[in-house]
């Protein structure tokens, strides 16, 4: 196959032979390209893996919307009517969870009372699952505790705690959810909403099937409840995810820019190699010109040498980058096969393309210098 290729492209054969004459020099020039490719591709894949890892930790918060009373306009709580309006505009596919909040004295296992933020929910089974015990439906008595709170105070279903002077029994330990979610129950103490003295709700959490539907729901809630005056503040957690993704895009761009410096250094190395080759082979170039080789033929040979250095270095760099990507994804996200994501393939292609382009650009001046030699002067040299 290679022989057929060389017969069709004789300049490639001559370029390969010229490079193999000075193997060590060519190897060192290609090594610079390899290092540059590995630097660009590995840093790019590291940024993708880090973004993917954080996205996993964020979970489905992009599907969540929080509705709060607009304190700036004197609204301190959301009424039952507000909750009904939210349910109406949200639709049946969106889970609506009105929440009451209050700071109350709580004693765990007959210990000293400590002020704790307590949450009140009517239907906790819609948003929480139990890691121990069962989330009651309907929820009228008892308490639900998060896993972190249960571990800290050695609580389990059947344990008793004192809330605001009243003894309540733990019904279930809630399974931890998304770390950044407003609904994450890790450190929460949840009581029936009916046990709170306040009539209104502190917040309403909405969970939609998708981020798009969450955005549409948020706009519908704003339109319905803030028609006459701004009574509620609507927060889309999906905007937080978008901001994080934009930040990572900037970080990845900076990382690739830093890594590209190594390829520029490799380009200077190739420039040096090609210039030295031009000086050393003046007599050979003169013979080629004397027997009928045109300027463009010499130019092709010299550019082919630079291109081969870039292609070989780029291929080796891509292979090494794949190995580095497997290790990065294994230790970052725990899944080595994640290296085969489309974003990583893009970084590999960019690194390879940049390597080849850098090599060609670095070979332009030496190739032009060699092609511009007068045959007589080259032979005399």
């Amino acid at each position: 196959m290679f022989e057929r290729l060389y017969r069709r492209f004789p300049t490639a054969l001559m370029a390969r032979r010229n490079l193999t004459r000075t193997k060590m020099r060519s190897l060192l020039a290609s090594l610079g390209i390899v290092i540059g490719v590995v630097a660009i591709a590995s840093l790019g894949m590291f940024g993708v893996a880090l973004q993917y890892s954080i996205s996993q930790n964020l979970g489905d918060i992009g599907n969540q919307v929080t509705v709060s009373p607009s304190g700036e306009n004197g609204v301190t709580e959301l009424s039952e009517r507000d909750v009904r309006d939210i349910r109406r505009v949200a639709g049946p596919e969106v889970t609506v969870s009105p929440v009451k909040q209050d700071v109350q004295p709580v004693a765990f296992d007959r210990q000293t009372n400590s002020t704790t933020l307590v949450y009140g929910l009517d239907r906790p089974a819609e948003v929480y699952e139990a890691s121990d015990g069962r989330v009651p439906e309907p929820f009228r008595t008892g308490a639900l505790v998060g896993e972190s709170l249960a571990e800290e105070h050695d609580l389990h279903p059947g344990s008793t705690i004192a809330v605001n002077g009243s003894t309540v029994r733990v019904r279930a330990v809630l399974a931890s959810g998304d770390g950044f979610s407003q609904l994450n129950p890790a450190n929460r103490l949840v009581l029936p909403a009916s046990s709170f003295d306040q009539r209104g709700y502190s917040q309403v959490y909405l969970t939609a099937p998708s981020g798009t539907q969450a955005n549409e729901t948020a706009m519908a809630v704003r339109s319905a409840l803030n028609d006459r005056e701004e009574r509620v503040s609507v927060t889309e957690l999906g905007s937080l995810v978008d901001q994080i993704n934009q930040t990572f895009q900037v970080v990845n761009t900076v990382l690739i820019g830093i890594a590209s410096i190594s390829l520029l250094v490799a380009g200077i190395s190739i420039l040096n190699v090609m210039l030295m080759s031009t000086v050393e082979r003046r007599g050979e170039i003169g013979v080629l010109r004397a027997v009928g080789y045109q300027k463009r033929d010499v130019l092709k040979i010299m550019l082919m040498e630079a291109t081969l250095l870039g292609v070989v270095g780029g291929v080796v760099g891509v292979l090494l980058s794949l190995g580095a990507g497997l290790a990065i994804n294994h230790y970052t996200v725990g899944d080595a096969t994640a290296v085969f994501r489309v974003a990583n393939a893009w970084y590999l292609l960019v690194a390879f393309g940049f390597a080849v382009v850098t090599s060609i650009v670095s070979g332009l001046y030496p190739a032009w210098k060699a092609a511009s030699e007068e045959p007589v002067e080259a032979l005399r040299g």
Side-chain angles (χ1 to χ4, degrees), residues 146-366:
E147 283 185 335
S148 299
L149 198 63
E151 184 177 347
E152 180 182 354
H153 298 285
D154 191 25
L155 300 174
H156 51 82
S159 300
T160 58
I161 58 178
V163 180
N164 202 19
S166 302
T167 301
V168 295
R169 190 174 299 276
V170 175
R171 304 286 297 273
V173 177
L174 302 176
S176 294
D178 301 324
F180 293 89
S181 171
Q182 292 271 29
L183 294 170
N184 180 32
N187 292 291
R188 290 196 172 180
L189 173 59
V190 181
L191 298 177
S194 58
S195 64
F196 284 68
D197 293 332
Q198 65 191 75
R199 298 185 59 184
Y201 294 91
S202 304
Q203 287 180 319
V204 177
Y205 299 145
L206 294 87
T207 305
S210 65
T212 302
Q213 192 165 349
N215 178 262
E216 293 173 353
T217 302
M219 291 190 294
V221 170
R222 286 194 189 97
S223 176
L225 275 73
N226 292 337
D227 186 21
R228 297 181 179 178
E229 60 175 336
E230 189 173 344
R231 300 192 64 256
V232 299
S233 172
V234 182
T235 304
E236 301 169 66
L237 297 186
S239 60
L240 174 62
V241 178
D242 293 338
Q243 290 176 3
I244 291 174
N245 288 334
Q246 291 174 3
T247 301
F248 270 105
Q249 289 176 2
V250 174
V251 171
N252 284 359
T253 302
V254 172
L255 289 175
I256 291 175
I258 294 172
S260 300
I261 297 174
S262 59
L263 264 183
L264 294 178
V265 174
I268 295 173
S269 175
I270 291 176
L271 174 63
N272 182 49
V273 168
M274 298 299 297
L275 281 174
M276 292 180 66
S277 178
T278 301
V279 172
E280 292 174 354
R281 291 157 51 197
R282 286 190 70 193
E284 177 187 337
I285 294 170
V287 171
L288 291 175
R289 293 296 309 279
V291 299
Y293 273 71
Q294 301 298 316
K295 283 186 177 182
R296 63 175 179 273
D297 298 322
V298 177
L299 189 68
K300 287 179 183 178
I301 294 171
M302 301 298 292
L303 280 179
M304 183 60 70
E305 291 180 23
T307 303
L308 284 177
L309 287 174
V311 170
V312 172
V315 169
V316 174
V318 166
L319 293 176
L320 292 177
S321 298
L322 276 175
L326 288 170
I328 288 171
N329 282 274
H330 174 72
Y331 290 106
T332 305
V333 300
D335 181 14
T337 58
V339 72
F340 299 108
R341 285 193 293 268
V342 176
N344 289 331
W346 186 84
Y347 283 115
L348 290 171
L349 288 174
V350 166
F352 178 79
F354 194 18
V356 175
V357 170
T358 301
S359 302
I360 294 174
V361 170
S362 300
L364 280 175
Y365 174 71

Side-chain angles (χ1 to χ4, degrees), residues 32-45 259 262-263 313-314 316-322 324 351:
I33 293 294
V34 170
I35 293 173
V37 171
V38 171
I40 289 179
S42 297
L43 286 177
M45 289 189 290
S262 59
L263 264 183
V316 174
V318 166
L319 293 176
L320 292 177
S321 298
L322 276 175

